[in-house]
């Protein structure tokens, strides 16, 4: 779910915009709340800003949400207060401007159809229009997230049953949505007809599980059954699961960036091993963009798998020439004293004896604005590298994503207005090469036609917002905001 405002996270030196989420749901397990917490641990990489769990016991819903990571968000007392054998959970990463508890999920409301809680991963393209329309009809919004429109549509639905009302309301939204919903006695999983974001179905004994990635199934000992299919609304009750298909059939458009960067390498997404695809990206990159060099160095953790593939294919040794500090939180105070490259250095530090005097192939998964890469190249140069050949395991990012990966607006994407040579000059490497679009397609294999590559091509499978800048800047104010 995407808040409709973008601001840079300058505290961590992470100058990319991120707003991905992870969703989890389990039906029919006596330890549903605890297993949901575990599932969210496994999905923590998809969002670190807030976490929440809602449960249902057949009578009513229970909810807890907190800012921060899963380990800090729920203690044993909080978990004990969640009753029921059905639960859904969410992890969210948003930008600083929207970092408040009111936007944390699950969002829970009570309406004519009863209580309902919702968790969303993706981005609803037509949310601004729907929201304006709903507000003009008297709706009062509590959050500034796009997701809330689904609940207003639900509350206004005249359908006879909650499940029909859900099917009816999700049919109005366009864009990317992997959603899990909970009523007092139903767990519902919905995936948009293009299947932009991942959503899988698993089984744990008699309990059914839905979640963003299979790594969450692994952690709780559940078996992967299948993907929730694009366009499928899966309704789980005591009597089992039933599928509805309320959307017109569409060409699948799975987000290729899940494979490039976002998902965990130990997950299966869109039925394919992330590690395998990512390593393939590196192998193909080595074939397309070889360099005379001494050592392959990954940018941890994002460039790891591609660097392994690159090293395997090129026959060059791979070494951990950059070490990542995994304990850097989102906020820290920079010292008054000037430290060069502090914001990147706090996270990454070069290993001098690996780098000094060497011709280094530096592998990262993507280059968005180029500012982080420039700092990393500077650090490696300062550590004594003789040459630095930067290799990126995807094509140049030329267009923003409207389907749930939080990228900056087009004007901030360096490759939208600069040639590869100009980007090389900016990052100050000796050479720079990206994987080609053909290489990217080859890496995902025979199903490459089922992927969305819009960030690399500018071709959008679902209509892009008409006024892109206005869309990216739109800030929906909450009551009390100045
Ligand atoms: P830069 O050189 O500033 O473009 O930063 C490149 C780094 O940002 C790479 O290490 C990528 O893995 C990382 N990156 C790319 N896209 C995203 C994203 N949507 N969210 C967070 N990090 C990203």
């Amino acid at each position: 779910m995407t808040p409709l405002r973008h601001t840079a996270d300058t505290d961590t030196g992470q100058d990319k915009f991120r707003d991905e989420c992870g969703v989890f749901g389990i039906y029919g397990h006596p330890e549903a709340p605890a297993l949901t917490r575990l599932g969210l641990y496994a999905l923590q990489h998809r969002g670190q800003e807030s976490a929440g769990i809602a449960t249902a016991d057949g009578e009513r819903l229970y909810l807890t949400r907190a800012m921060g990571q899963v380990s800090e968000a729920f203690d044993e007392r909080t978990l004990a207060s969640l009753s029921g054998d059905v639960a859904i959970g969410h992890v969210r990463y948003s930008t600083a401007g929207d970092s408040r508890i009111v936007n944390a999920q699950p969002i829970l409301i009570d309406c004519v159809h009863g209580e309902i809680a919702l968790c969303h991963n993706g981005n609803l393209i037509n949310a601004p229009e729907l929201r304006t329309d709903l507000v003009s009809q008297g709706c009062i919004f509590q959050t500034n997230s796009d997701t809330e429109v689904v609940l207003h549509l639900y509350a206004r639905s005249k359908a006879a049953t909650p499940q029909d009302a859900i099917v009816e309301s999700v049919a109005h939204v366009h864009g990317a949505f992997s959603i899990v919903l909970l009523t007092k006695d139903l767990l519902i999983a919905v995936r948009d007809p293009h299947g932009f974001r991942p959503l899988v179905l698993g089984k744990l004994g008699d309990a059914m599980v839905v979640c963003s990635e299979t790594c969450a199934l692994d952690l709780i000992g559940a078996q992967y059954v299948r993907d929730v299919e694009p366009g499928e609304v899966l309704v789980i009750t005591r009597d089992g699961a039933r599928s509805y298909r309320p959307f017109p059939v569409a060409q699948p458009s799975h987000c290729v960036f899940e494979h490039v960067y976002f998902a965990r390498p130990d997950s299966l997404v869109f039925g394919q091993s992330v590690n395998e695809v990512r390593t393939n990206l590196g192998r193909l990159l080595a074939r397309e963009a070889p360099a005379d060099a001494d050592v392959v160095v990954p940018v941890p953790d994002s460039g790891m798998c591609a660097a392994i593939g690159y090293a395997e294919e090129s026959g060059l040794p791979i070494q951990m020439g950059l070490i990542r500090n995994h304990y850097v939180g989102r906020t820290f105070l920079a010292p008054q004293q000037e430290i060069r490259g502090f914001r990147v250095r706090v996270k990454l530090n070069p290993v001098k004896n690996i780098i000094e005097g060497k011709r280094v192939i530096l592998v990262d998964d993507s280059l968005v604005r180029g500012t982080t890469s420039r700092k990393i190249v500077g650090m490696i140069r300062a550590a004594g590298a003789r040459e630095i050949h930067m290799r990126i395991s995807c094509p140049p990012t030329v267009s923003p994503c409207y389907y749930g990966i939080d990228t900056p607006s087009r004007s901030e994407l360096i490759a939208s207005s600069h040639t590869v040579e100009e980007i090389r000059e900016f990052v100050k490497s000796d050479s720079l090469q990206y994987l080609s679009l053909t290489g990217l397609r080859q890496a995902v294999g025979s199903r490459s036609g089922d992927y969305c590559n819009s960030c690399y091509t500018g071709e959008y499978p679902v209509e892009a917002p008409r006024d892109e800048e206005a869309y990216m800047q739109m800030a929906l104010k909450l009551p009390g905001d100045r």
Side-chain angles (χ1 to χ4, degrees):
M1 67 136 227
T2 304
L4 303 166
R5 173 164 45 191
H6 295 243
T7 47
D9 177 2
T10 45
D11 280 346
T12 54
Q14 174 64 65
D15 46 28
K16 248 28 65 31
F17 299 113
R18 298 202 290 184
D19 191 80
E20 275 275 359
C21 299
V23 298
F24 184 92
I26 182 162
Y27 193 97
H29 197 289
E31 287 195 283
L35 293 172
T36 302
R37 176 171 64 168
L38 279 181
L40 294 182
Y41 265 118
L43 300 174
Q44 187 77 81
H45 61 290
R46 299 185 72 88
Q48 299 97 45
E49 189 176 276
S50 65
I53 298 178
T55 62
D57 62 3
E59 300 277 318
R60 54 159 293 200
L61 266 57
Y62 304 80
L63 173 71
T64 180
R65 301 182 304 177
M67 299 309 290
Q69 300 192 7
V70 178
S71 57
E72 344 164 89
F74 319 108
D75 56 23
E76 298 314 314
R77 242 187 52 216
T78 322
L79 269 195
S81 70
L82 299 171
S83 158
D85 66 352
V86 189
I88 62 172
H90 190 261
V91 284
R92 170 174 191 256
Y93 186 110
S94 85
T95 54
D98 299 287
S99 131
R100 34 189 156 177
I101 193 70
V102 75
N103 285 323
Q105 296 194 19
I107 304 179
L108 191 154
I109 59 142
D110 194 5
C111 68
V112 67
H113 303 292
E115 284 183 312
I116 186 164
L118 177 151
C119 300
H120 172 213
N121 171 210
N123 185 18
L124 307 179
I125 299 269
N126 62 338
E129 287 95 272
L130 286 174
R131 181 167 171 142
T132 306
D133 193 38
L134 287 161
V135 169
S136 74
Q137 293 172 43
C139 284
I140 299 166
F141 277 77
Q142 295 297 318
T143 76
N144 63 354
S145 94
D146 59 346
T147 309
E148 198 184 344
V149 294
V150 175
L151 294 174
H152 283 280
L153 293 168
Y154 175 76
R156 297 167 70 84
S157 166
K158 300 278 180 280
T161 65
Q163 74 192 63
D164 289 345
I166 288 166
V167 172
E168 190 189 291
S169 31
V170 293
H172 281 88
V173 292
H174 306 310
F177 43 98
S178 283
I179 298 179
V180 291
L181 300 117
L182 180 71
T183 69
K184 67 181 171 42
D185 48 14
L186 299 173
L187 175 66
I188 299 183
V190 186
R191 197 157 166 228
D192 71 73
H194 292 274
F196 283 106
R197 298 282 138 231
L199 192 62
V200 297
L201 174 67
K203 229 174 163 356
L204 178 62
D206 292 332
M208 300 193 81
V209 186
V210 284
C211 54
S212 297
E213 293 181 36
T214 56
C215 62
L217 298 179
D218 296 341
L219 180 57
I220 62 165
Q223 271 83 50
Y224 168 68
V225 176
R226 64 173 174 87
D227 279 16
V228 174
E229 286 172 17
E232 180 175 6
V233 178
L234 187 70
V235 180
I236 303 170
T237 64
R238 303 274 158 212
D239 306 324
R242 227 179 119 181
S243 283
Y244 296 77
R245 299 199 171 264
F247 307 102
V249 177
Q251 167 65 33
S253 301
H254 311 313
C255 170
V256 79
F257 197 65
E258 292 275 350
H259 279 300
V260 170
Y261 169 80
F262 210 75
R264 253 171 60 162
D266 52 336
S267 285
L268 275 184
V269 304
F270 315 127
Q272 287 184 279
S273 151
V274 175
N275 175 61
E276 194 181 319
V277 172
R278 222 168 263 179
T279 317
N280 282 346
L281 292 167
R283 282 199 194 99
L284 290 155
L285 182 62
R287 261 183 245 165
E288 289 185 2
D292 269 341
D294 305 307
V295 64
V296 175
V297 170
V299 175
D301 295 322
S302 55
M304 218 39 222
C305 302
I308 290 171
Y310 193 103
E312 262 174 33
E313 186 69 23
S314 63
L316 289 169
I318 178 167
Q319 294 226 47
M320 291 297 291
L322 277 170
I323 298 301
R324 175 166 171 194
N325 182 337
H326 283 96
Y327 309 99
V328 184
R330 252 174 77 75
T331 49
F332 52 79
L333 286 177
Q336 301 260 303
Q337 182 204 332
E338 174 76 11
I339 301 177
R340 266 191 84 228
F342 175 76
R343 292 188 186 282
V344 169
R345 192 172 286 271
V346 76
K347 229 170 126 184
L348 294 173
N349 199 33
V351 182
K352 218 167 168 185
N353 81 314
I354 293 179
I355 305 266
E356 202 161 25
K358 301 278 175 40
R359 295 169 303 166
V360 174
I361 297 186
L362 184 65
V363 179
D364 205 354
D365 71 290
S366 54
L367 195 152
V368 183
R369 296 167 165 222
T371 44
T372 309
S373 308
R374 181 181 159 109
K375 288 175 190 150
I376 295 172
V377 169
M379 263 178 358
I380 296 205
R381 188 84 71 197
R386 194 142 56 90
E387 289 172 18
I388 303 169
H389 301 282
M390 181 133 205
R391 296 292 180 267
I392 305 293
S393 63
C394 71
T397 306
V398 291
S399 295
C401 176
Y402 301 115
Y403 310 128
I405 297 286
D406 212 354
T407 46
S409 64
R410 191 182 308 268
S411 56
E412 292 166 281
L413 294 169
I414 191 166
S416 72
S417 54
H418 294 75
T419 63
V420 174
E421 176 51 21
E422 286 167 344
I423 301 170
R424 184 202 65 73
E425 271 169 32
F426 177 74
V427 302
K428 296 194 164 80
S429 56
D430 295 284
S431 75
L432 167 68
Q433 276 183 267
Y434 289 84
L435 183 69
S436 67
L437 192 59
T438 313
L440 179 74
R441 291 204 169 111
Q442 250 175 290
V444 292
S446 58
R447 287 178 41 223
S448 65
D450 291 351
Y451 278 90
C452 171
N453 304 311
S454 58
C455 50
Y456 309 121
T457 61
E459 287 159 25
Y460 292 99
V462 171
E463 191 186 353
R466 263 161 268 147
D467 181 348
E468 181 194 308
E469 291 298 325
Y471 177 85
M472 297 302 254
Q473 295 311 324
M474 184 180 285
L476 293 167
K477 292 226 164 114
L478 292 174
D481 280 354
R482 290 284 165 271

